[in-house]
Amino acid sequence: MHMAAFYNPSPTGGIERTGRAADVTAPTARYPFEVTLHQGEIEKIFLDAMSEKGVQVDRAIVPTSLEVSSDPAILSDPQAYAVKVVLQHMSRPESQQEEVVYAKYVLGADGAHSWVRKTLGIAMEGENTDYVWGVVDTIPETDFPDIRNKSAIHSRNGSCMVIPREGDVVRLYIQVEQAAFVENGRIDKSKVTPQHLMEVASKSFQPFTISFPHEIMWWTLYVIGQRVAARYSLHERVFIAGDACHTHSPKAGQGMNASMNDTHNLSWKIAHVLRGWSDISLLKTYEFERRKYAQDLINFDKKFAALFSGKPRSDDNEDGVSHEQFLEAFQTFGGFTSGIGVHYEASALVDPTNQHLARHLRIGERLIPQVVVRAADARPENIQELIPADTRYKLLLFPGDISTPAQKEKLGDLAHALSAATSFRRRFTPPNAPVDAVFDIVTICTTPKEEVNFTDVPLALRSHWSKVWTDDEQLAGGVGGKVYETYGISTTEGAIVVVRPDGYVSAIAPLDGVKYLDQYFSGILHNQTV
């Protein structure tokens, strides 16, 4: 979805288009559009990737009990099996159904009605709104000109949202009257049918016509609820993620996306603890970072849902929601709706001390995309492709023009400091492991592509010939050559940018800042040389 369209009440009755805008307004978006794809297809991507690693999902199994040790010695040992889970295999004969699993860590990704959350006694904090919406997936017949654009419709009959999907399928969000379907805060779905939703939509689309001759592939009805779990774990041994710890309206497109970011945040931290690279206290940063994001998301969602569900401004309702108000909110909150506006606050992982060395590369946010050119063969590539989520910290070196004596000397001094036996690079890398097992070093210089030699970077700073890049335009021209400018890095002072395993900038150091980095990583990683 590249375009968003906005419709409001027409003075002559019905609705009229009051504007169009880019669907993704975040200025640093690498992909300035949204993608809609059936949930089953997304799950298949994960299932196929798992099968390549010999892992599968076991179905028809339910948990029946969960116990976490209260022994401080066990809880403080990251390798101890501190959790006991009893499972019931529903497809087996009754006498063979029970299985007992002893686990080091347990993750409850079991949805808004999470059994894990309820078993741990974790409360959901927040409230339901007065807004009731229906959702329908189908292939409509219509003369509505923006049926293949994301469309926000405010009509006197209520609000609608159009989300084009794969093929000719369209998802319609349709606002309905609460009184008919809600009793004691819960929806009675027996009082509504998809046909009722279609009738409401038909009225809201007028003067355009819309009919539904094809099958209803899926539909539901929901009350917008905005809640966050009071905590995200018990003793950093049992965690919850996704809808199990935050619920909000689906119209920002952040249900599944925020959920995947939850587990992306947690998984590398558990890997570091299990490998003995980090202390178990690292896992506390999961709740610290992701719960604040969920709260920020819900604060946004409250404003967005109120604007979306509120009555439109008209001659009869001067206090209603204007097109200008809604468009401003849509564009202001582009960071949320695109999912790239996540900002993690200062912690052991995120240190904003040296922000001035890269003025526009905000510490605590994801690395901004930019095209760089590989020194060895002039291949252009986006810098985000150089930082795969492979559990390693990335040290991005920005030394300026390494063909000049001054900058070359700075790079040589850095190589010498990182090669010392007492350097953080040596101390935090396990014995007999590859030199880049924990820290993957990539150099981005400013030497022109016609002159740069990857061999000018000291061997201690390049584990492979592909680790040296330059901030220059690609040979075809027009793309690249703007990294230092975009990040706000001086070509003479330079900088070392630390990118953590999930792609977020976590610290920045000067080129002679090995002591600072030693102090920074000492708060996160274990000494492996003892």
Side-chain angles (χ1 to χ4, degrees), residues 262-323:
D262 286 346
T263 47
H264 190 46
N265 182 291
L266 177 62
S267 57
W268 72 267
K269 296 172 182 177
I270 288 181
H272 278 212
V273 172
L274 287 173
R275 290 175 182 176
W277 292 3
S278 294
D279 187 78
I280 196 170
S281 61
L282 177 68
L283 302 181
K284 291 182 182 294
T285 63
Y286 166 62
E287 178 178 319
F288 173 77
E289 293 181 337
R290 295 305 300 172
R291 190 170 186 274
K292 181 187 182 301
Y293 172 72
Q295 288 173 318
D296 290 345
L297 176 61
I298 282 173
N299 289 337
F300 150 70
D301 190 57
K302 285 180 179 178
K303 298 174 184 176
F304 198 58
L307 286 172
F308 213 112
S309 301
K311 293 289 184 183
R313 183 175 296 178
S314 64
D315 293 340
D316 302 330
N317 183 26
E318 294 184 358
D319 295 328
V321 178
S322 70
H323 168 65

Side-chain angles (χ1 to χ4, degrees), residues 359-386:
R359 299 185 311 279
H360 311 314
L361 190 63
R362 197 173 178 197
I363 297 170
E365 297 186 2
R366 73 80 150 121
L367 186 70
I368 297 173
Q370 280 292 306
V371 171
V372 291
V373 173
R374 195 157 61 192
D377 59 1
R379 171 180 174 146
E381 188 62 87
N382 197 292
I383 197 169
Q384 289 186 337
E385 298 298 325
L386 313 185

Side-chain angles (χ1 to χ4, degrees), residues 242-271:
D243 287 359
C245 44
H246 46 74
T247 61
H248 41 82
S249 77
K251 287 183 289 299
Q254 285 307 300
M256 179 182 63
N257 288 294
S259 300
M260 288 192 289
N261 272 306
D262 286 346
T263 47
H264 190 46
N265 182 291
L266 177 62
S267 57
W268 72 267
K269 296 172 182 177
I270 288 181

